[in-house]
Amino acid sequence: MTPAQYILAFWMLVTGSINTISTKYADMQCVPNYRLDNPAETCPASTNTNFTAGFTANSTNSTPSQDVCPPGCATFDHPFVQAAGMFLGEMLCLIVLKLMLLCKPRDPEENRDFPKYIFAWPAFLDMAGTSIMYLGLTMTYASTFQMLRGSVVVFTGVLSVMVLKKRLLPFHWIGMLLVTAGAAIVGISALRETDTSEAKPSNPLLGNLLIMAAQVVVAVQMVSEELIFARHKHISGLHAVGLEGLFGFCYLSIALVVMYHVPYGPDVCGATPCVENAVAALREVVGSWGLLAAVGGNVLSIACFNFFGISVTKSMSATHRMVLDSLRTLVVWGFGLLAHWEVFNDLQVVGFVILFAGTLLYNEIVRLPCLGSRAPEASLFDHPADDDQREPLLSQASADA
């Protein structure tokens, strides 16, 4: 690998980790609780390292927000607004693409004459999957959230057989089996009782199930994108991600208006219940520097992560990108332990190792000829990628976001 490739890999790892960390940190912030008749005018910044959004002590008579925030304050519990921020970050990829075209001549093989609406359906799936995942993140650990996202290879593999009529080899099936087992262990690990002095998720089982359910939606999205790329060749990855961001932001903007007027849900809009109060969410973001930094970090990190991720795929290979994305889970997990957002869980380690091994096997990063994979190369980092591996993969860009 060249120094430039190391730089690309480093920043992909950093920006991808910041995305998950900043999203969780936003969930942790205490803001005025507008659901109350007398909300606090201001709330202190969340500086307690043992504080976690949606986490509560062992009490059945209090809500998570009441346990971790001062009176009159609540945690920033707006997963759909957070998802809108993610799509805003993806939209920024269109600006990056325009700037790149100004700095260098256009690739003659790049396809820009395609109907833009073809990404409307994947964007809808992206909106649904991301919203469900962010909802699950408010109920469980950031590291568990990141680990369970790896289970998408199982659902993608099954759908590729059913829809794309692909033939999976034995190493694919064994990899999927390992990922399933690892994801199950990771999910169960969050349910283990810890020291009662430590905070724990408010509803880890439901949160983990939501994250797993979202992977089914993401898998459908990835298969849909593969069908698009099979029909429309040489579409720029940044262009495609930016278009999905544009469609997704439009979808979610309309959905947030509907959620504001639906008279049922956990939030409060005016004096009536609602699904999500986006107006209050924006007011909370503007009124808190910490929250503004977290939401801004989410938006910018998404844009940068997609840019560096696609650059890694082009410069090196999709295999390198998969390895770096797996390392992102370790970074998020390590940060959570250092920041005391969670406690060390040995069962989670076992689950992650099994899940990671399954991912390596499924993507042929570890190659076992006896299971049908190609002969292993001497070193992943010493050999350049084949031309077919350098194709920008939108499926990975969207799923990783």
Side-chain angles (χ1 to χ4, degrees), residues 83-236:
M86 188 210 75
F87 284 113
L88 183 60
E90 289 187 357
M91 285 174 58
L92 294 179
C93 290
L94 292 175
I95 299 177
V96 174
L97 179 64
K98 293 294 184 182
L99 294 175
M100 291 176 63
L101 292 176
L102 292 175
C103 297
K104 66 177 184 179
R106 174 182 171 182
D107 185 350
E109 294 187 355
E110 181 180 329
N111 180 9
R112 301 187 67 185
D113 299 324
F114 60 90
K116 307 303 184 288
Y117 65 82
I118 60 177
F119 290 106
W121 171 243
F124 179 82
L125 295 170
D126 196 4
M127 177 200 68
T130 300
S131 298
I132 295 172
M133 278 192 287
Y134 278 7
L135 181 60
L137 179 58
T138 65
M139 305 178 191
T140 191
Y141 295 111
S143 62
T144 303
F145 164 82
Q146 193 66 44
M147 291 179 189
L148 291 178
R149 292 178 69 177
S151 63
V152 69
V153 300
V154 176
F155 305 110
T156 304
V158 173
L159 286 176
S160 67
V161 173
M162 297 172 60
V163 179
L164 302 177
K165 307 302 180 183
K166 288 188 174 182
R167 175 176 172 268
L168 298 184
L169 297 174
F171 72 88
H172 286 125
W173 292 107
I174 293 177
M176 290 163 57
L177 180 63
L178 289 174
V179 168
T180 302
I185 294 174
V186 168
I188 294 172
S189 70
L191 305 180
R192 293 179 65 186
E193 292 294 331
T194 58
D195 190 337
T196 56
S197 64
E198 297 288 348
K200 70 175 185 178
S202 60
N203 199 334
L205 177 60
L206 179 58
N208 293 346
L209 289 176
L210 285 172
I211 295 169
M212 291 291 291
Q215 304 317 304
V216 179
V217 181
V218 173
V220 176
Q221 174 196 347
M222 295 174 70
V223 171
S224 300
E225 291 166 345
E226 187 164 348
L227 290 172
I228 291 174
F229 276 93
R231 178 172 299 182
H232 303 275
K233 304 291 186 179
H234 306 298
I235 297 177
S236 166

Side-chain angles (χ1 to χ4, degrees), residues 250-321:
C250 292
Y251 288 147
L252 207 45
S253 297
I254 296 172
L256 286 171
V257 174
V258 175
M259 292 177 188
Y260 187 91
H261 292 92
V262 173
Y264 177 80
D267 213 336
V268 176
C269 300
T272 61
C274 63
V275 179
E276 181 96 325
N277 191 337
V279 176
L282 294 176
R283 183 179 175 185
E284 293 163 3
V285 170
V286 173
S288 170
W289 284 105
L291 184 55
L292 182 62
V295 173
N298 181 25
V299 173
L300 293 177
S301 64
I302 278 291
C304 294
F305 176 66
N306 278 290
F307 170 75
F308 288 116
I310 291 172
S311 298
V312 165
T313 303
K314 286 184 175 181
S315 176
M316 290 174 275
S317 71
T319 303
H320 290 80
R321 187 171 181 175

Side-chain angles (χ1 to χ4, degrees), residues 20-21 24 28 48-53 55 137 140-147 186 189-190 192 194-195 197-201 208 328-349 352:
T20 301
I21 292 170
K24 189 62 184 179
M28 295 167 56
N48 183 1
T49 56
N50 286 318
F51 171 87
T52 314
F55 287 27
L137 179 58
T140 191
Y141 295 111
S143 62
T144 303
F145 164 82
Q146 193 66 44
M147 291 179 189
V186 168
S189 70
R192 293 179 65 186
T194 58
D195 190 337
S197 64
E198 297 288 348
K200 70 175 185 178
N208 293 346
R328 178 164 64 125
T329 302
L330 289 177
V331 174
V332 173
W333 185 26
F335 182 89
L337 292 174
L338 291 175
H340 300 286
W341 289 3
E342 56 185 282
V343 294
F344 181 79
N345 189 326
D346 53 353
L347 188 58
Q348 193 178 43
V349 178
F352 173 72

